[in-house]
Amino acid sequence: MSTETSSPDRRVAVVTGASSGIGAATARTLAAQGFHVVIGARRTDRLESLAAEIGATARPLDVTDDASVAAFCDGLDSVDVLVNNAGGAKGLAPVAEADLDDWRWMYETNVLGTLRLTRALLPALEASGDGLVVTITSIAALEAYDNGAGYTSAKHAQGVLHRTLRYELLGKPIRLTEIAPGMVETEFSLVRFDGDKEKADAVYDGLTPLTADDVAEVIGFVASRPPHVDLDLIVLKPRDQASARRNIKTG
Ligand code: NAP
């Protein structure tokens, strides 16, 4: 595992959940913009090959584990950009049939994971003189949908955690941007449906979803604004999707 973070002249960007999807695409985009990127996730084999491809620093990270977060953040004394991306959904069930382990996974990963990383890196973000926290929530952080309460409530909580920092950090050199995507074709649905590829593919059949690169490009734009500009909340959806409940398939 490459653990060096030395890059005296380059701005540092930390991306969580960079082993696939939006996180991997964001790491590529920020590296291409000249950032020294520090990437974390649990699947370290994938991190290693991405790190070799883009010249990043790969470190193992489980955002649900205090000790793993502490080891990941060790030595990161100045951080310009933190992308809180690690997260996802487990299951799609009505509240009456809610699986508590699925709910715990979603809260631990999306909400407490974002809290752990942000809390640990706030001093380093401030020390950079122009820190930026980008949190990937979802349109599920803005609306509810049938059978989605575990995910929508976790994403709402993650969103409110992030938005609270806009108040608490006012006057400090730290910007905060919430990115709320609609449907993006990644491993998201594969994880939600516990590896059932047929079910996951069906989510995107019959419409054109966003790609991870579509989202990464927006994050690259956010990270390249001047220090006084704070893009507060960016909602991006495919043309084929009007809301979490309506798309061209549902009518
Ligand atoms: P993805 O391809 O499944 O990627 C999820 C990433 O999160 C993976 O790199 C995974 O890495 C990481 N992760 C999961 N649990 C983790 C943990 N405990 N510790 C560290 N990393 C962890 O899905 P994605 O669509 O790119 O999701 C990225 C973010 O976008 C998530 O927060 C998701 O909720 C949000 N989002 C997705 C969509 C969509 O439609 N795809 C829409 C709106 C928002 P490891 O498994 O290797 O740890």
Side-chain angles (χ1 to χ4, degrees):
M1 188 85 346
S2 53
T3 54
E4 272 181 50
T5 53
S6 61
S7 50
D9 304 326
R10 289 167 70 196
R11 297 207 297 151
V12 173
V14 172
V15 182
T16 70
S19 61
S20 78
I22 295 168
T26 299
R28 283 192 181 93
T29 298
L30 295 178
Q33 288 181 347
F35 284 94
H36 178 81
V37 186
V38 180
I39 52 178
R42 294 164 305 174
R43 287 170 293 178
T44 51
D45 49 335
R46 288 175 176 223
L47 285 186
E48 280 295 357
S49 54
L50 179 59
E53 175 196 326
I54 64 174
T57 296
R59 289 182 169 189
L61 172 66
D62 181 346
V63 299
T64 69
D65 183 292
D66 290 335
S68 170
V69 172
F72 178 81
C73 295
D74 188 44
L76 294 174
D77 300 325
S78 178
V79 170
D80 299 271
V81 179
L82 164 64
V83 184
N84 283 312
N85 167 77
K90 281 271 185 203
L92 195 60
V95 171
E97 291 159 28
D99 180 320
L100 287 176
D101 286 337
D102 284 350
W103 278 61
R104 276 190 202 97
W105 187 95
M106 290 186 272
Y107 275 71
E108 269 293 341
T109 310
N110 295 287
V111 188
L112 299 183
T114 294
L115 172 60
R116 284 188 183 92
L117 264 296
T118 307
R119 192 180 57 172
L121 292 177
L122 275 180
L125 286 154
E126 189 172 354
S128 77
D130 177 27
L132 167 67
V133 179
V134 177
T135 301
I136 315 302
T137 62
S138 169
I139 56 170
L142 308 171
E143 47 176 315
Y145 59 85
D146 288 30
N147 306 327
Y151 185 60
T152 55
S153 62
K155 283 298 191 187
H156 274 71
Q158 182 194 26
V160 174
L161 155 63
H162 170 95
R163 289 166 221 153
T164 302
L165 289 167
R166 276 291 271 145
Y167 299 97
E168 293 180 356
L169 299 180
L170 207 54
K172 296 199 173 190
I174 301 179
R175 289 178 279 161
L176 286 135
T177 299
E178 177 178 354
I179 307 271
M183 290 169 117
V184 190
E185 188 162 10
T186 61
E187 292 175 18
F188 175 86
S189 293
L190 203 59
V191 173
R192 166 168 255 176
F193 298 124
D194 221 6
D196 186 333
K197 189 162 164 25
E198 212 173 304
K199 235 171 161 176
D201 287 347
V203 173
Y204 310 108
D205 276 352
L207 52 74
T208 306
L210 297 173
T211 66
D213 285 336
D214 293 329
V215 183
E217 202 175 327
V218 172
I219 296 168
F221 178 76
V222 169
S224 56
R225 294 310 89 206
H228 67 289
V229 177
D230 191 310
L231 288 158
D232 226 299
L233 166 65
I234 299 175
V235 183
L236 64 159
K237 297 177 215 163
R239 188 180 63 193
D240 289 349
Q241 182 179 33
S243 76
R245 287 184 295 264
R246 285 196 66 189
N247 59 56
I248 55 163
K249 290 197 290 185
T250 61

